[in-house]
Amino acid sequence: MSAIEDLRHTIARLRGPGGCPWDQEQTHATLVRCLIDEVSELIDTIDRLDLPHMREELGDVLIQVVFHAQLAEEAGKFDLEDVAREVNEKLIRRHPHVFGTGKLETSEQVLVQWDQIKAQEGKAKPSGPFKDQPPRLPALMFAEAIWKQIEKKQLPADGLVDTAQVEALGRHLDEATLGRMLFEIAAASRAKGLDPEGALRLHTSRLMTEVEARVKHPSRKPV
């Protein structure tokens, strides 16, 4: 058997009769925190370029994937083969410039084609000007994604975002300075009893709501 098959059998054994009580009690919902923790630990090894530990953490993430597939298989819904087959077919389908005809020269062209193929697949399009974001996306990534769409689509954010301040900050910003500033904001937030994650998510959500309202009603004045 392959190592993947060995892992599948190990997870099934842990879940089966005479297996591990903890593993037997788990559900898709109870494993969510485990998945978040394992992905966070993997990201840490990536940030540190710690390849030996990255291999280990990739394995821990893989356990979560196999575990969820095992739960679904037990429920008669799907198994790991179905998961792998579907995602492989999707990769091939969305890369016709590699597996079919045509040629693309830049990553920007690839992203445009990717969105076009998704649309042909019948993926639901967002009803508003913003692309749907993962509901559990960290607030900082959420804010970055929304600002990217505002810039890319030239959405009406005048008076809502101080673009002059954004540009001024950007001219003097580097990775070390950015890290220090974000850390100091987090520390100051704690000192004041504030939740920086929640505050940023709330502000970004309000910004989205106001921009969406302006798109629907162009004559709307800034609040």
Side-chain angles (χ1 to χ4, degrees):
M1 293 188 297
S2 70
I4 292 291
E5 280 300 311
D6 286 343
L7 179 58
R8 289 181 69 180
H9 282 277
T10 298
I11 297 296
R13 177 73 177 85
L14 290 171
R15 288 278 301 171
C20 172
W22 185 90
D23 290 278
Q24 292 168 341
E25 293 173 358
Q26 301 313 302
T27 67
H28 289 297
T30 62
L31 288 173
V32 168
R33 180 55 189 264
C34 296
L35 178 59
I36 293 172
D37 287 346
E38 298 300 355
V39 171
S40 297
E41 291 177 6
L42 171 61
I43 292 171
D44 178 61
T45 66
I46 294 172
D47 288 343
R48 293 185 287 105
L49 293 178
D50 185 349
L51 293 178
H53 285 100
M54 187 189 300
R55 180 180 63 191
E56 177 185 351
E57 298 303 337
L58 280 168
D60 288 341
V61 172
L62 181 59
I63 287 174
Q64 297 300 309
V65 174
V66 176
F67 207 133
H68 280 283
Q70 174 64 29
L71 293 176
E73 183 176 357
E74 292 170 9
K77 302 300 182 181
F78 59 82
D79 61 15
L80 188 62
E81 282 293 314
D82 296 322
V83 173
R85 183 183 305 107
E86 182 173 331
V87 73
N88 186 57
E89 290 173 352
K90 179 166 65 175
L91 280 173
I92 293 173
R93 185 171 64 249
R94 293 186 182 178
H95 290 83
H97 54 291
V98 176
F99 300 101
T101 58
K103 186 177 181 181
L104 300 179
E105 302 293 339
T106 67
S107 59
E108 288 77 13
Q109 293 173 336
V110 172
L111 293 175
V112 169
Q113 178 179 260
W114 183 279
D115 288 338
Q116 292 172 343
I117 295 173
K118 284 179 64 176
Q120 294 170 2
E121 292 171 351
K123 300 292 183 182
K125 292 184 178 180
S127 56
F130 290 104
K131 177 182 177 182
D132 289 338
Q133 300 297 321
R136 295 294 181 269
L137 197 66
L140 196 58
M141 294 177 66
F142 178 43
E144 184 182 17
I146 295 306
W147 178 242
K148 178 181 177 181
Q149 291 184 56
I150 289 174
E151 282 192 309
K152 181 179 180 180
K153 300 179 181 179
Q154 298 183 331
L155 298 175
D158 296 342
L160 300 173
V161 178
D162 188 343
T163 54
Q165 175 70 359
V166 170
E167 292 174 0
L169 283 171
R171 283 194 294 270
H172 306 287
L173 206 59
D174 56 36
E175 188 174 87
T177 303
L178 174 61
R180 176 180 56 78
M181 291 172 62
L182 290 174
F183 182 86
E184 290 172 351
I185 289 173
S189 299
R190 175 174 171 77
K192 291 286 290 185
L194 299 173
D195 172 18
E197 180 83 5
L200 179 56
R201 184 175 301 281
L202 180 60
H203 177 78
T204 305
S205 297
R206 287 173 174 167
L207 175 64
M208 283 181 64
T209 299
E210 182 61 27
V211 170
E212 287 170 342
R214 289 185 179 186
V215 171
K216 292 180 180 177
H217 307 284
S219 60
R220 181 184 176 92
K221 296 181 179 180
V223 295

